[in-house]
Amino acid sequence: MENKFDAIILGAGPAGYECALYLGERGKSVCLVDKSEENIGGTCLNEGCIPVKSLVESAHLVQRMKEYKDVFNVDFRIEYSNAVKLLEDQKSQLRQGIISRLKRSKVNMIFGKGMLVTNNAVRVDGVDYFADSIVLATGSYPKSLSTLNIDENKIISSSGLLKLKNLPKDILVVGGGYVGCEFASLLNYFGSNVTIVEFLPKIMGVEDDEVSRTLLREFKKRNISVNTDSEIVNVQNKDEKILVNFKNRKSNLVKEALVDIILVSVGRGPNTKDLNLEAINAKTERDYIITENDFSINNSNVYAVGDIIKTPMLANVATREGIFVAKKILGETECVNYELLPRVVFTDPGVGCIGLTEEDLKSKGISYKTYRAFFKGNGKALIMGQNSGFFKVLTSEDEIILGAMFIGPMAYELVHIMAIAMQSKANVTELKNIIYAHPTLSEIIFSALV
Amino acid sequence: MENKFDAIILGAGPAGYECALYLGERGKSVCLVDKSEENIGGTCLNEGCIPVKSLVESAHLVQRMKEYKDVFNVDFRIEYSNAVKLLEDQKSQLRQGIISRLKRSKVNMIFGKGMLVTNNAVRVDGVDYFADSIVLATGSYPKSLSTLNIDENKIISSSGLLKLKNLPKDILVVGGGYVGCEFASLLNYFGSNVTIVEFLPKIMGVEDDEVSRTLLREFKKRNISVNTDSEIVNVQNKDEKILVNFKNRKSNLVKEALVDIILVSVGRGPNTKDLNLEAINAKTERDYIITENDFSINNSNVYAVGDIIKTPMLANVATREGIFVAKKILGETECVNYELLPRVVFTDPGVGCIGLTEEDLKSKGISYKTYRAFFKGNGKALIMGQNSGFFKVLTSEDEIILGAMFIGPMAYELVHIMAIAMQSKANVTELKNIIYAHPTLSEIIFSALV
């Protein structure tokens, strides 16, 4: 293998491998660097989106089998370890798919730890490689709390949780954001006793209040203990378990929970410390790399994309940024529009939101109209046995859509109907004109507007 | 009860009850006539969309349990009668919902057989009722073939099939259109041996060839016997079974099937013969009532909507027509745009299409571009274990969307993304600009366009 390439990419997550594929498929010589073959696909494939959604899928099937127990005389024994095995198989299948595509596109893969030497050179385990363009896409790690250090033994991150072979009987989830809520929802379906401790006054902090309240109500129905405005005050081992004390910040009331595992899901931090950023005079802010609008660092031939910059830390955003930079290197143009970014959560009920929330509109002083319908009035949702939740759309006074939120079945797919409506600046009349197929969940849009 | 109303509506299906609700909620005195309380909701609720989709939902769960048998040590015995009981419960729940809404809207319900007397009077079981407006919405019935008369014993319609308490071991489905394909798909999952006999050269006759071929391939994988270009030549009783001979119209090869039940799904005919249409000089064509564009008959105060007119025989179309006429009566305006009508089929894989097919474009001589992606490359579909099928979008040379088709998981929901895209005259760039959430089925749209 030569050690000179058109582009070297550090990090084989969604930003990195999509960038590599785009360049490789168009004849560029590309070198993709990550720690090991098992890291290809990044957090998304290995420790995030994919394995979590695989567990969600299994968990929902468990729940459906419980609901249909009598209809089909179903008898089953939850083997969590088998669900984990299934997710490992699915990960491996998807990873092999990416590796095949990388090979077909003649992308060179080098395994080791990469760092910058100059703006044309990186060093991987002591060997230097050279390129016209360098793309940094090294992703992120799960953060600890100052009071609660992740040891991946009993105090674990989402990565650690996805490595557990057995279901924890009792688990405390620190952080009721998207990730915490997804794990709480799926572990509860598998049969864990789940306690959420959230510092903010509501779960899913930035989301629309009504969505947050609805999810809270559904979680309570499912006997998930949700403690908002709360923080951990003490953690101690007790026999094989952990005794956790947490305090309500308003009432100062202290509660305790005896659990097997503490899952810390309080956000992620960028993997930038070992990149030797000084070599190219890159500026950072709280470890995030500061880039120009085209993702270049100081308008140079070095770019940063994905979780290491200050855009939303999501795989789909990373993918777009990776493709953007690949096109930039090829002299093509692309746009990344963060305003039309669906916010989805794979809880049950699921959440899919886009655009502004009611709270956003109020705080901006924008007057708006609200249209709303509930899944309990939707025939398909009733047939699915999943008729909790609602659809809400917020419009300007002249009925242009400003924001929309689904909480209910398939919310994470339905939100894309509203995404294209907003992208096209559609108004309420245009949304109403469609003769929604029957019986579908999508009909809830018409029900809200009629 | 008075016998004079603002509006009398004959038929309590989706066209009729939605029209009644819209008028009743706005203070009009309304009389809704149907044969019995059990008929409220019409074919859709009682013998069509809703019960079929309830069985589809149960059938898909059965299939998933088979797939996950080892993961969760699932043991189950299919009790078809319990699935039928569940659908009866769901029907009843939805019917009670409609009845409550009708009562809240102060709609008078009269049970009996209604016919026209004049353009201001209808007669129900010998009693005359008067109204300023009359709306005919009497729906349709399943057609027989000249060679195969439905007796609802062993030769049954979709209505008869939905009344079966036990699963037929062997069934022959005459007609491979939407309805025939849905029943074939769900009965096969429950465990029936299914044979389809279709007169045309392909199943789902009017649908895009590639969609039809994909469904055919999936049906064959599932051991559904599909016989296109074929017609029934002989049917005879043999012990408790029926021996059916059917002939390939091209090869003249005759095959036989020994079955328990023959399901005839060759379309529906309008219920107009007993309406005494002569009283208002209504014209008909093959029993369909001819109306003006505003659904009035000869610009009078009598309207016809739903399956009795020549628009697509679908519940969602009927609903819109019912609301259109209610608004017309109230002096409000509404539009019904049949061009943006999703065509969905609840098979597995599911189908959701909108706009023109490749065959339509070719026959019209319109040049077009094709974008395509397969569910086998979609992470969410892989996790769901449902990664057969594809998404295709057809655009004009300047990339305006002319048609789109999904065949795969949740196709019947995903199609609405393309419906709003077409409604808004969105182009490929606008569809590509959305950062689709990950991992979702909707990402297949981006995969096709990138």
Side-chain angles (χ1 to χ4, degrees), chain B residues 217-231:
Chain B
R217 193 173 57 237
E218 293 300 319
F219 273 9
K220 286 187 169 169
K221 271 193 217 164
R222 292 170 51 187
N223 293 316
I224 295 173
S225 161
V226 182
N227 306 275
T228 48
D229 277 317
S230 296
E231 60 188 324

Side-chain angles (χ1 to χ4, degrees), chain A residues 44 64 71-73 75 77 79 82 316 320 342 413 416 420 432 434-438 441-442 446, chain B residues 44 57 71-73 75 77 79 82 316 320 342 413 416 420 432 434-438 441-442 446:
Chain A
C44 166
R64 300 235 72 196
V71 177
F72 293 116
N73 298 295
D75 187 23
R77 199 173 67 239
E79 296 276 4
N82 286 344
N316 40 341
R320 289 306 178 89
E413 303 292 348
H416 296 99
I420 184 69
K432 260 195 329 195
I434 294 167
I435 304 184
Y436 296 85
H438 180 73
L441 300 168
S442 308
F446 185 71
Chain B
C44 167
E57 198 67 24
V71 177
F72 293 116
N73 298 295
D75 187 21
R77 199 172 68 240
E79 296 276 3
N82 286 344
N316 40 340
R320 290 306 178 90
E413 304 291 349
H416 295 98
I420 184 68
K432 260 196 327 195
I434 294 167
I435 304 185
Y436 296 85
H438 179 73
L441 300 168
S442 308
F446 185 70

Side-chain angles (χ1 to χ4, degrees), chain B residues 72-88:
Chain B
F72 293 116
N73 298 295
V74 188
D75 187 21
F76 65 100
R77 199 172 68 240
I78 295 173
E79 296 276 3
Y80 185 77
S81 58
N82 286 344
V84 173
K85 193 179 165 304
L86 180 68
L87 84 79
E88 291 294 343

Side-chain angles (χ1 to χ4, degrees), chain A residues 22 26 44 49-51 53-55 57-59 61-62 64-65 68 70-80 82-83 86 89-91 93-94 190 315-317 319-320 323 327 334-338 340-344 346 354 376-380 382-387 410 412-421 423-427 429-443 446 450, chain B residues 22 26 44 49-51 53-55 57-59 61-62 64-65 68 70-80 82-83 86 89-91 93-94 190 315-317 319-320 323 327 334-338 340-344 346 354 376-380 382-387 410 412-421 423-427 429-443 446 450:
Chain A
Y22 198 93
R26 282 152 188 85
C44 166
C49 325
I50 297 295
K53 275 64 184 186
S54 175
L55 286 183
E57 199 66 24
S58 296
L61 183 66
V62 165
R64 300 235 72 196
M65 290 194 294
Y68 275 73
D70 297 334
V71 177
F72 293 116
N73 298 295
V74 189
D75 187 23
F76 65 99
R77 199 173 67 239
I78 295 173
E79 296 276 4
Y80 184 76
N82 286 344
L86 179 67
D89 291 348
Q90 291 173 337
K91 264 165 60 171
Q93 195 177 334
L94 285 166
F190 276 115
N316 40 341
V317 170
T319 297
R320 289 306 178 89
I323 292 173
K327 287 192 169 186
E334 176 72 344
C335 94
V336 183
N337 181 354
Y338 299 101
L340 288 173
L341 179 63
R343 307 182 297 274
V344 307
F346 293 79
I354 189 161
K376 69 177 179 228
N378 179 281
K380 185 69 161 68
L382 181 124
I383 290 169
M384 294 170 78
Q386 294 174 49
N387 57 347
M410 290 292 144
Y412 25 89
E413 303 292 348
L414 299 177
V415 69
H416 296 99
I417 303 174
M418 300 310 295
I420 184 69
Q423 164 73 38
S424 307
K425 306 202 189 323
N427 61 23
T429 305
E430 289 172 301
L431 266 180
K432 260 195 329 195
N433 270 353
I434 294 167
I435 304 184
Y436 296 85
H438 180 73
T440 60
L441 300 168
S442 308
E443 287 179 286
F446 185 71
V450 71
Chain B
Y22 198 93
R26 283 152 187 85
C44 167
C49 324
I50 296 296
K53 275 62 179 188
S54 175
L55 287 182
E57 198 67 24
S58 294
L61 184 66
V62 165
R64 300 235 71 197
M65 289 194 295
Y68 275 72
D70 297 334
V71 177
F72 293 116
N73 298 295
V74 188
D75 187 21
F76 65 100
R77 199 172 68 240
I78 295 173
E79 296 276 3
Y80 185 77
N82 286 344
L86 180 68
D89 291 347
Q90 291 173 336
K91 265 166 60 172
Q93 194 177 336
L94 284 166
F190 275 114
N316 40 340
V317 170
T319 297
R320 290 306 178 90
I323 292 174
K327 287 192 169 186
E334 176 72 344
C335 94
V336 183
N337 181 355
Y338 299 100
L340 287 174
L341 179 63
R343 307 182 296 276
V344 307
F346 293 80
I354 188 160
K376 70 176 177 229
N378 179 281
K380 186 70 161 70
L382 180 123
I383 290 170
M384 295 170 76
Q386 295 175 48
N387 56 348
M410 291 290 145
Y412 24 89
E413 304 291 349
L414 298 177
V415 68
H416 295 98
I417 303 174
M418 300 309 295
I420 184 68
Q423 163 73 38
S424 306
K425 306 201 189 320
N427 61 23
T429 306
E430 288 172 302
L431 265 181
K432 260 196 327 195
N433 270 353
I434 294 167
I435 304 185
Y436 296 85
H438 179 73
T440 60
L441 300 168
S442 308
E443 287 179 286
F446 185 70
V450 72

